[in-house]
Each structure stands twice: as structure tokens, then as C-alpha cells.
Amino acid sequence: MKKLINDPNDVVAEALLGIEAAHPELAVDHRQRIVSRADAPRRGKVGLVSGGGSGHEPLHAGFVGPGMLDAACAGEVFTSPVPDQILAATRLVDGGAGVLHIVKNYTGDVLNFEMAAELAALDGDLRILTVVTEDDVAVRDSTWTAGRRGVGVTVLLEKIAGAAAEQGRPLEQVAELAHRVAGNGRSMGLALTSCTVPAAGKPTFELGEDEMELGVGIHGEPGRQRVPYAPAREIAAMLVEPVLADLPFHRGDPVIAFVNGLGGTPLIELYLMFHEVNRILTGHGVQVARSLVGSYITSLDMAGTSVTLLKADEELLSLWDAPVRTPFLSWG
């Protein structure tokens, strides 16, 4: 194992020190491992809290800032944050308008966010609503989940719900939008290589030189099947066609198309993949209204990609276009 680390046990703590030094507009609670907006809480604004295991950067800390998340909780590598962290983050961003928890569908994340919400309910006047993303069409039930895994749509949801909260919309309306995004987005991923968890010191799984893992999870969980290595045009079809089949897209439907890198894939290959994805969508009459290309929800050093499609109406597109200022998404 060759990694830019000191001690495998200190990776998350030292990375948070780096985030703090690089982004003075953010605040870092090193004891609770919470990254938040430096101006939190914002009075009268719905707070957005997400989080999960480390190793998926820039998800979630890289999306903290105006127009997106108010706070993110960092667990150990591929390990859920604990309820005390989530509760502390929730209290930190509560500006009196309530808090939305955005949770990826992994058993540990779901249970710990539920427990944090139950503890917060003891405060009496703290209102919390929760949305769970479960957009991965590859498998139903896996090593880490009951039901489908939450993957790429999480990024799109955090942006759209964050814009709604920034506009001052009430908690129920922000949550309704978040549920709409969660219900209208689907994803599928593929790995060319495994990833190496620092504490393990060896690849999570083995792939032959001529093999790919179709439908891999972001923790290295098995996918639908192990298939022979193929050109990008065939890989794009393996990813896009199941997404289109799972959530019917009709000719002329506008979508936000997100081609994501899993951590070890260069941008030149992701743009090549986007070309192939766009070609397939055009052939189906699906309109790419907005796009996102890059490594935004990763699996450490895994080489591979995922494709996320979100059916988007004018309201969702407007919220996507709204200003955002975070370390890894910034426009407007």
C-alpha cells in the first residue's frame, strides 16, 4: 500500500485539519468531527445536515456552504458517524426553522440518524425531517444495506434542497423537494479496480486484468456481476440502459445527467464517458438539460465510474441553477 498518509489510524483526523486550513469559510469541530458553515446557525433558515463514512470525498464536507449543506458529519473510513455527532451537528445548525437530515441508505447511517433524531426530539422544540436516498439500481439488499444503496443522487439532492433552504422555504417544503429528487433519480456504477482502505492495507477485492465489477457499491460491495473488460461505449450502455429501464424516461424528458468518478479515474476518461452517455440518451430522445462531470462521490482510490440521471422539471432545474458556494460546487 502506497498512500499519502502518516498513520492509518489518523487519516480522518488529519484530513479534517487540512480542510480547516484550506477553507477558512468553514468551521471544524475536531472532537465531534463536524464540518459546518462558519456562520451557522442561520436564523429562520432550515438547516441541512448530512454525513457518512469518510473516503467518499468530496461528499459530504466538500458540499458545506451557502446553497448546499449547513453541516456534515465525518465517520471513520467507510463507517457511519455516530448518533452523538449527528445530534451535535443538528443542534449546531438549528436556526429555529427546523433541520433536514439527508441520509444515504446504508444500515449504519440510517440507524444512527434515526437515533440522533429521537434524541433531538427530547429537546421538544427541535423539528427534524429525514430523507433517505436509495438510487442505486444495481442490487436490492447488499452487504451494507436493506434495500437499494444511496449513491450519486445524494449530491444532486443536497444541491437542490440546499437552494430551497437558502431561499427561506419552510421545512416541509424543503423536505418535499428532497423526496421528489430522491424518487426521480437513479444510478448505476462500475469498478475497474478495487479500493484500498488505509487500515486494511490491501485491496478490498480482487479483479483480474480483463474483468470489471458491474454495479459495484461505493464501499467496494459486490455488484450485479463480474463481466469482461469492455470499451467505454459498451460500459456506458451497461450503466445507462438499466437506469432508463428502472425509472421510465419518455422522449423529451429533461434530465440532470451526472457522470461521476470513483476516485481513481482521470477527468479525460469521465468526459469521454459523458460523450457516450449523452449519445445513448440522445438516441432514446432524453434531453440532457444540465450536466455534472467529475469525482464528487468517491470510493477512495477505486478506478471506475457511475452514472446518475435525475428527471427534472423547471422548478428542480431552477434550484439546480441557483447560486452555491462550497469547496467543490460553486457557481452563480
Side-chain angles (χ1 to χ4, degrees):
M1 180 179 70
K2 291 182 179 179
K3 290 185 177 292
L4 299 176
I5 63 175
N6 295 310
D7 185 317
N9 296 314
D10 297 333
V11 170
V12 176
E14 292 182 349
L16 288 171
L17 288 169
I19 289 173
E20 182 179 49
H23 301 289
E25 72 278 13
L26 302 178
V28 180
D29 178 338
H30 293 282
R31 185 177 67 84
Q32 294 281 12
R33 294 187 174 179
I34 298 167
V35 178
S36 64
R37 291 175 57 162
D39 61 354
R42 301 277 292 179
R43 300 308 305 174
K45 175 191 172 299
V46 170
L48 266 62
V49 174
S50 193
S54 297
H56 304 306
E57 291 74 23
L59 195 80
H60 295 272
F63 302 132
V64 173
M68 216 157 170
L69 295 177
D70 292 274
C73 306
E76 286 295 335
V77 173
F78 293 177
T79 303
S80 172
V82 298
D84 285 350
Q85 279 179 278
I86 301 164
L87 178 60
T90 302
R91 287 174 171 159
L92 174 64
V93 306
D94 176 34
V99 177
L100 180 68
H101 284 173
I102 300 171
V103 187
K104 301 187 302 303
N105 187 36
Y106 295 95
T107 302
D109 288 17
V110 171
L111 291 175
N112 288 353
F113 270 89
E114 282 180 352
M115 187 175 296
E118 290 170 2
L119 291 170
L122 300 176
D123 291 349
D125 59 348
L126 180 51
R127 293 187 301 137
I128 298 173
L129 293 178
T130 301
V131 60
V132 177
T133 60
E134 43 187 348
D135 51 303
D136 189 348
V137 305
V139 293
R140 184 175 293 277
D141 301 332
S142 70
T143 310
W144 298 70
T145 63
R148 288 178 166 174
R149 302 174 292 216
V151 285
V153 83
T154 311
V155 177
L156 310 185
L157 190 154
E158 289 177 353
K159 168 62 183 79
I160 289 169
E166 204 68 45
Q167 292 175 356
R169 300 194 192 192
L171 177 61
E172 290 74 15
Q173 192 176 128
V174 175
E176 185 277 326
L177 280 163
H179 284 292
R180 197 195 316 172
V181 172
N184 284 282
R186 298 289 189 274
S187 302
M188 180 84 159
L190 175 139
L192 301 176
T193 70
S194 178
C195 60
T196 300
V197 175
K202 61 182 181 179
T204 302
F205 59 90
E206 296 292 338
L207 273 177
E209 288 295 320
D210 60 345
E211 292 181 320
M212 308 182 297
E213 185 73 27
L214 178 62
V216 71
I218 56 172
H219 305 97
E221 319 94 294
R224 283 190 173 185
Q225 61 187 119
R226 193 155 291 188
V227 298
Y229 173 73
R233 67 179 65 88
E234 296 178 23
I235 292 174
M238 293 178 195
L239 300 180
V240 174
E241 297 293 351
V243 169
L244 294 176
D246 192 87
L247 180 68
F249 291 83
H250 305 292
R251 297 190 73 85
D253 276 352
V255 301
I256 298 175
F258 173 25
V259 170
N260 176 60
L262 295 178
T265 305
L267 195 54
I268 189 172
E269 295 178 25
L270 297 180
Y271 275 117
L272 190 156
M273 278 294 299
F274 188 85
H275 162 68
E276 297 295 349
V277 168
N278 184 60
R279 179 182 56 79
I280 295 170
L281 293 176
T282 300
H284 283 275
V286 175
Q287 173 198 354
V288 177
R290 301 291 188 275
S291 61
L292 184 67
V293 181
S295 296
Y296 293 102
I297 173 169
T298 63
S299 184
L300 293 169
D301 53 340
M302 182 183 289
T305 186
S306 63
V307 173
T308 299
L309 299 180
L310 172 64
K311 293 175 72 170
D313 56 25
E314 287 303 317
E315 181 180 25
L316 296 187
L317 291 175
S318 175
L319 290 166
W320 177 258
D321 292 339
V324 59
R325 294 192 304 280
T326 73
F328 279 86
L329 281 186
S330 184
W331 59 70

